[in-house]
Amino acid sequence: MIFPEFFEKELAAQYTPQEIEEIVRGYGAKRPVSFRVNPLRGEREQTLRSLEEEGIDFSCVAWYADAFVSGADERTIANTRVYRMGAIYLQSLSSMLPPLALGAAAGESVLDMTAAPGGKTTQISALTQGGALITACEKDGGRFSRLRYNVEKQGASRVTLLHCDAARLDDFFRFDKILLDAPCSGSGTLQAGESVKITEKTLLGCMQTQSALLKKAWRLLKRGGELVYSTCSIFEKENAGALRHVLTEPDAEVIPLEMPADIPVFPRTDGAVCVKPSVNYEGFFLAKIRKKG
Ligand code: SAM
């Protein structure tokens, strides 16, 4: 793969030559399709039986009972009955991690700041059996329509949809839990054969948006509340670098995250997680921060 010069510099500033080799190998791997069973639209065993009857092969993912990988391609899966009725959702394994880390409970108020197309909004709803009171924001009009479509299709109830810039949400709001799955360069998700479209300017633009959204997230979080920040980037500037906007607050406390052993991660000491691009996983970052009560 050919990387722009700035991209190579970012990697070299942050990773060892051996890690860079692993990253490039991860970009080159062909990831299997993964999906999440949606208990809001059917009982898991019944959904899986229906997939088997339609000839879809799949295998379990050890760390999440609703997650599966399949040898079938996305188009074949999207043609199944259970997909059409919203009983499964195509989603990368890495992107299933933030809602699990958030650990929202029924009755809690949850803000999903940048929600389209709705994978994580609908997962939070599924994880709380539709019991969390979710506010899902999206700035882009076309993507907002997709979010609305998916929320309805997946049967996610108690979701208030806001077509707005989350950085401009009224400071009057307060939430128990906030997910900021921030817009980012996507440096974790590159695949061999794709040309790298990320530019230095894109990266700087993402960093500005991430900083504005993180500052807002902190203002909207209740005392004792928890924020999960995630990106599909492996650049520290968008990850731990962006988080300094929150971690310099005197009432911020990192809640260290632990990943199951079969998820490949870069070693780090700050309690955050950066998943390595690899055969089953996109490169992905997540961190959890509590606002002291
Ligand atoms: N969480 C989503 C999911 O799991 O399906 C993926 C979110 S994607 C990484 C980031 C989203 O943030 C994009 O849809 C983008 O349009 C939206 N976005 C960017 N800036 C925003 C802002 N200021 N306010 C709200 N949404 C924003």
Side-chain angles (χ1 to χ4, degrees):
M1 273 176 102
I2 299 169
F3 300 112
E5 199 182 321
F6 96 91
F7 194 103
E8 282 193 349
K9 274 193 195 151
E10 290 298 335
L11 289 181
Q14 202 184 313
Y15 296 104
T16 63
Q18 195 192 334
E19 285 171 333
I20 294 174
E21 253 178 53
E22 277 186 85
I23 291 168
V24 174
R25 219 176 312 125
Y27 288 157
K30 182 163 167 27
R31 269 183 283 286
V33 170
S34 51
F35 64 88
R36 178 169 58 74
V37 164
N38 173 22
L40 301 174
R41 283 287 190 229
E43 199 258 322
R44 187 192 300 131
E45 296 313 315
Q46 216 172 330
T47 300
L48 296 177
R49 226 177 358 259
S50 176
L51 280 173
E52 271 169 355
E53 281 163 13
E54 293 199 54
I56 305 292
D57 72 276
F58 53 82
S59 49
C60 306
V61 172
W63 47 267
Y64 186 17
D66 286 340
F68 297 85
V69 291
S70 174
D73 61 30
E74 286 196 1
R75 187 191 282 233
T76 308
I77 294 181
N79 270 325
T80 60
R81 193 180 67 85
V82 286
Y83 180 86
R84 287 197 301 272
M85 61 184 263
I88 60 169
Y89 187 86
L90 288 164
Q91 190 172 346
S92 79
L93 293 181
S94 296
S95 98
M96 296 181 199
L97 295 171
L100 293 171
L102 191 67
E108 284 186 327
S109 54
V110 178
L111 173 64
D112 186 352
M113 287 185 93
T114 53
K120 298 181 191 69
T121 305
T122 55
Q123 188 185 351
I124 294 166
S125 183
L127 284 167
T128 60
Q129 291 81 40
L133 309 163
I134 304 173
T135 302
C137 296
E138 173 57 45
K139 185 176 169 187
D140 179 87
R143 289 179 66 87
F144 180 77
S145 304
R146 199 71 205 155
L147 169 66
R148 186 167 45 205
Y149 170 82
N150 279 327
V151 164
E152 283 167 13
K153 182 176 174 186
Q154 303 281 304
S157 53
R158 296 177 155 196
V159 181
T160 303
L161 297 173
L162 300 179
H163 178 200
C164 68
D165 178 348
R168 299 170 72 108
L169 281 169
D170 197 305
D171 283 343
F172 169 81
F173 290 114
R174 284 292 175 275
F175 297 90
D176 296 308
K177 300 261 161 81
I178 298 182
L179 172 62
L180 173 52
D181 183 40
C184 70
S185 65
S187 64
T189 64
L190 301 182
Q191 293 255 261
E194 282 176 2
S195 60
V196 181
K197 295 197 188 78
I198 308 166
T199 63
E200 205 160 4
K201 197 169 159 209
T202 333
L203 176 61
L204 287 173
C206 288
M207 287 162 61
Q208 274 168 9
T209 308
Q210 288 152 3
S211 131
L213 289 169
L214 271 165
K215 285 177 190 161
K216 175 59 74 171
W218 198 249
R219 282 200 289 276
L220 301 184
L221 192 62
K222 277 187 191 169
R223 300 224 146 267
E226 289 166 354
L227 162 73
V228 167
Y229 176 74
S230 59
T231 70
C232 57
S233 176
I234 56 167
F235 290 157
E236 279 297 270
K237 285 181 175 168
E238 301 184 85
N239 297 335
L243 271 178
R244 74 175 192 281
H245 295 291
V246 161
L247 291 177
T248 45
E249 296 288 338
D251 47 359
E253 172 184 43
V254 173
I255 302 181
L257 291 172
E258 292 203 6
M259 289 291 116
D262 52 346
I263 301 185
V265 295
F266 292 109
R268 51 193 305 146
T269 53
D270 60 358
V273 166
C274 189
V275 177
K276 290 179 186 174
S278 55
V279 177
N280 284 312
Y281 295 92
E282 292 174 335
F284 209 88
F285 174 86
L286 63 158
K288 185 169 184 175
I289 297 121
R290 183 168 171 274
K291 193 183 226 179
K292 291 180 201 161

